[in-house]
Amino acid sequence: MTRIMTGAEMVVEALKDQGVDTLFGYPGGAVLPIYDVLYQQTGLRHVLVRHEQGAAHAAEGYARSSGRVGVMLVTSGPGATNSITGLTDALMDSIPLICITGQVPTHLIGSDAFQECDTVGITRHCTKHNYLVRSIEDLPRVLHEAFYVAQHGRPGPVVIDIPKDVQFARGEYFGPKNVEHKTYHPRLEGDPEKIEEAVSLMAAAKRPIFYTGGGVINSGPEASRLLRDLVAVTGYPVTSTLMGLGAFPAHDPKWLGMLGMHGTFEANNAMHDCDLIIAVGSRFDDRITGRLDQFSPGSKKIHIDIDPSSINKNVKVDLGIIGDCAHVIAALLARWKARGEKVDAEALSGWWAQIDTWRARKSLAYRNSDKIIKPQYAIERLYAATKGRDTYITTEVGQHQMWAAQHFHFDEPNRWMTSGGLGTMGYGLPAAIGAQMAHPHALVVDIAGEGSILMNIQELSTAAQYRLPVKVFILNNEYLGMVRQWQELLHGGRYSESYSEALPDFVKLVESFGGHGIRCSDPADLDAAIAEMIETPNMVVFDCLIDKTENCLPMIPSGKAHNEMILPDTDEAIGDVIDSAGKVLV
């Protein structure tokens, strides 16, 4: 059934037809027709952010915590360009996002009109797809097609640029029935012959490991459940990327922790020494592989990914399976059971014995203090206080992000939201706002650094306006901590521009927005202060003053392989570079 309506009305109607209930945005001249329609309707909530980058990250937080498409609405020119960081972030982390931008009227495009920019050209390389809608006749199809593209295959951001005259124009609107892209049809099922080959490789392996990434989470909760089933029948160890945390439960003894630059000793050494990698929904990025010519040199590699371009892009693999993680894992599990496959129990027992020797090194250990709050301890106490609650964690980017990944444990998917691929400082607070909008009764905590939080601190105003009880837990070491750490390790302790010399009083700052502020510097007071933060039914900023010199370890140094890691040492501030046999290399 078709109906006659304006382009602006079509936008709002299409969002409702796609099941959208919340969008994040900032008004401006080129989108006022759409905002006028929003004013006259019910059922679609608009969240007014304070910066368009905040709208993008809030939409990401909403999408990642809910499994739905995030939506943002911004004006032309600076509204669109302010969104670029968030769009790039969503592209690199495979987040389904619809960004609707206003544009100057079609007859002014290319004339350098007020607040005009080439939005399609600018966003071409930071979106999965984009559209400039020049005709009202095309608008309904584009709106629905954009949702199809954003959430099918490898998810990603899609921009719809709508000139103002198209928003005023009238035309026929139709719903989303049977709408799909005419050429984009991602493959979901893995090739049966490759499934058979993968099962054979898995059955023959002596030292296997599952290497899982964000693709498992993006595939939906069924993929995580199937992964757990496959691990249960094989007994093989599992490690996860930063983006994959929660796909496999952290409490399970088969989980080795996170791998990569700040991963555990056991996870990285198992990846280096294994004879088979089963990569599921992960892309072999540089923070995982380290030195490519020494990455897992003795292993065969199976790579399962819905994005064909990811296969053999960074690491040459022995078997690439294109398909959705849930579908491929289900097929592997079915063929394993149908063939009656059994693992090599003796070899697997020896492999686990080796892994246990690496685990015994306790690579996440740290020297605690009763005088000053150690950041690892702060995260552990936060985790203990939130365990059993309906909790969602976002982070900014830096040392605090890695400490959170190491010491906060996730047993379910979609509970952990961080900027992985782009490493965007300022991500966490708006992402927490998005997650809180999606889960109004949940506990949402942004684990932050005092440097990163200032990147989008204005979004405290958004949280205040919508009475969102988000909690910002700042690990404050008065440094751009990861920058300082690299300057210590790699640049002779020359701390160039990494010291935060002019920080606000975070307690007074949040109080000025009507929120609650807490400051804590004594380890003995930490538990009570965290409890106060959690129980406060309002926005809270917790200024946790931590050890200024603590480094985030373990760490694979630049140019080193997986089995050459800097590990914490009780007697040295930096630690030692240790290989997989426990030998000190440096």
Side-chain angles (χ1 to χ4, degrees):
M1 179 180 177
T2 59
R3 288 167 286 168
I4 302 299
M5 58 180 68
T6 67
E9 290 170 335
M10 289 182 184
V11 170
V12 174
E13 194 68 18
L15 295 181
K16 291 182 177 180
D17 283 348
Q18 290 289 342
V20 176
D21 59 15
T22 305
L23 72 157
F24 304 86
Y26 202 95
V31 283
L32 286 185
I34 299 174
Y35 273 89
D36 190 49
V37 175
L38 286 172
Y39 181 83
Q40 301 178 62
Q41 61 83 49
T42 58
L44 190 58
R45 297 176 297 178
H46 179 277
V47 178
L48 177 66
V49 297
R50 271 42 179 186
H51 191 284
E52 290 86 354
Q53 182 185 346
H57 297 324
E60 286 187 276
Y62 181 94
R64 292 177 67 175
S65 65
S66 68
R68 303 167 68 185
V69 178
V71 181
M72 58 183 294
L73 172 64
V74 299
T75 194
S76 63
T81 58
N82 282 347
S83 306
I84 297 299
T85 298
L87 292 172
T88 309
D89 192 272
L91 180 69
M92 295 192 71
D93 286 348
S94 305
I95 309 304
L97 184 67
I98 298 293
C99 175
I100 299 169
T101 60
Q103 184 56 275
V104 300
T106 52
H107 70 278
L108 290 179
I109 292 176
S111 70
D112 292 332
F114 177 68
Q115 289 195 334
E116 180 198 0
C117 71
D118 180 9
T119 300
V120 167
I122 291 169
T123 63
R124 181 166 288 118
H125 299 292
C126 63
T127 56
K128 185 178 178 182
H129 196 50
N130 60 17
Y131 301 86
L132 171 59
V133 185
R134 290 179 174 269
S135 169
I136 187 67
E137 288 76 23
D138 293 332
L139 185 57
R141 173 187 59 81
V142 167
L143 287 165
H144 297 308
E145 191 176 283
F147 275 85
Y148 174 87
V149 172
Q151 58 191 321
H152 283 77
R154 180 179 178 180
V158 178
V159 163
I160 310 171
D161 197 31
I162 311 176
K164 195 169 184 178
D165 57 323
V166 175
Q167 297 173 42
F168 279 123
R170 298 182 68 83
E172 291 187 349
Y173 172 79
F174 56 85
K177 186 177 180 181
N178 298 325
V179 173
E180 59 182 36
H181 196 277
K182 60 184 177 181
T183 61
Y184 181 60
H185 302 284
R187 181 171 184 169
L188 299 180
E189 305 291 341
D191 184 293
E193 292 184 3
K194 292 187 175 182
I195 296 293
E196 292 286 349
E197 185 178 351
V199 170
S200 296
L201 288 171
M202 289 168 60
K206 309 296 183 185
R207 301 184 308 280
I209 188 170
F210 286 103
Y211 154 47
T212 63
V216 180
I217 294 173
N218 287 339
S219 182
E222 181 69 3
S224 294
R225 185 189 67 77
L226 289 165
L227 174 65
R228 298 167 196 219
D229 291 345
L230 185 57
V231 171
V233 299
T234 61
Y236 294 167
V238 186
T239 183
S240 301
T241 66
L242 179 71
M243 299 301 295
L245 297 179
F248 191 82
H251 76 267
D252 194 300
K254 295 183 184 66
W255 192 62
L256 308 186
M258 183 177 71
L259 81 158
M261 177 170 283
H262 293 285
T264 66
F265 191 56
E266 54 268 32
N268 282 328
N269 279 303
M271 283 285 281
H272 186 272
D273 286 6
C274 69
D275 68 351
L276 178 68
I277 292 175
I278 307 115
V280 188
S282 47
R283 58 188 178 89
F284 294 97
D285 71 283
D286 62 291
R287 289 295 167 117
I288 295 302
T289 61
R291 184 173 169 180
L292 272 175
D293 63 356
Q294 292 186 25
F295 171 69
S296 195
S299 69
K300 292 185 176 181
K301 301 171 182 67
I302 301 170
H303 189 184
I304 301 164
D305 206 293
I306 199 166
D307 181 4
S309 70
S310 291
I311 307 292
N312 291 317
K313 181 168 71 176
N314 296 325
V315 171
K316 183 174 175 56
V317 299
D318 299 276
L319 178 61
I321 303 176
I322 299 169
D324 177 75
C325 288
H327 290 76
V328 175
I329 298 171
L332 289 172
L333 188 60
R335 290 309 301 152
W336 181 278
K337 291 179 177 179
R339 286 169 45 166
E341 293 290 359
K342 301 293 183 183
V343 301
D344 184 332
E346 183 178 354
L348 186 61
S349 177
W351 180 225
W352 273 112
Q354 174 61 73
I355 290 171
D356 286 341
T357 65
W358 292 324
R359 272 181 166 162
R361 181 60 178 80
K362 299 187 182 302
S363 60
L364 297 182
Y366 60 96
R367 177 183 286 181
N368 207 357
S369 169
D370 60 359
K371 304 295 184 185
I372 189 169
I373 298 174
K374 292 289 185 174
Q376 303 95 324
Y377 180 71
I379 298 295
E380 288 175 350
R381 300 316 301 159
L382 177 65
Y383 171 68
T386 59
K387 194 172 182 180
R389 292 176 177 265
D390 185 17
T391 305
Y392 294 82
I393 298 295
T394 71
T395 78
E396 309 293 336
V397 168
Q399 284 179 317
H400 63 274
Q401 175 191 31
M402 294 298 108
W403 282 317
Q406 292 171 340
H407 297 278
F408 203 103
H409 307 297
F410 298 91
D411 288 337
E412 298 296 334
N414 302 107
R415 300 292 176 144
W416 163 253
M417 288 145 281
T418 194
S419 175
L422 194 60
T424 306
M425 295 174 71
Y427 170 89
L429 175 55
I433 288 171
Q436 192 78 77
M437 288 298 299
H439 307 278
H441 303 296
L443 173 65
V444 180
V445 182
D446 171 28
I447 298 175
E450 85 292 335
S452 276
I453 192 62
L454 290 176
M455 287 280 189
N456 275 316
I457 194 73
Q458 76 282 343
E459 299 307 327
L460 287 176
S461 180
T462 302
Q465 178 172 338
Y466 296 93
R467 295 177 175 83
L468 301 176
V470 296
K471 318 300 183 188
V472 181
F473 189 72
I474 301 175
L475 298 183
N476 186 347
N477 57 12
E478 298 183 0
Y479 276 98
L480 302 179
M482 194 62 82
V483 175
R484 183 205 60 76
Q485 177 170 329
W486 280 59
Q487 288 172 336
E488 177 182 337
L489 300 180
L490 304 175
H491 298 279
R494 294 180 291 277
Y495 302 124
S496 177
E497 303 300 325
S498 56
Y499 180 61
S500 303
E501 294 190 45
L503 290 172
D505 182 326
F506 288 108
V507 170
K508 290 181 179 178
L509 181 63
V510 71
E511 288 175 348
S512 74
F513 284 108
H516 181 62
I518 300 171
R519 181 174 293 111
C520 183
S521 60
D522 189 336
D525 299 332
L526 185 59
D527 282 353
I530 290 174
E532 178 185 346
M533 177 187 75
I534 292 171
E535 298 304 326
T536 299
N538 194 359
M539 171 176 65
V540 177
V541 171
F542 187 124
D543 190 12
C544 186
L545 305 180
I546 63 169
D547 188 339
K548 298 179 183 181
T549 62
E550 189 78 3
N551 284 321
C552 184
L553 300 174
M555 176 180 173
I556 301 175
S558 179
K560 297 294 184 180
H562 263 142
N563 64 336
E564 300 175 286
M565 299 181 67
I566 301 178
L567 294 183
D569 185 275
T570 55
D571 297 318
E572 300 292 336
I574 296 177
D576 299 314
V577 178
I578 298 179
D579 69 8
S580 57
K583 178 183 177 183
V584 176
L585 301 178
V586 177

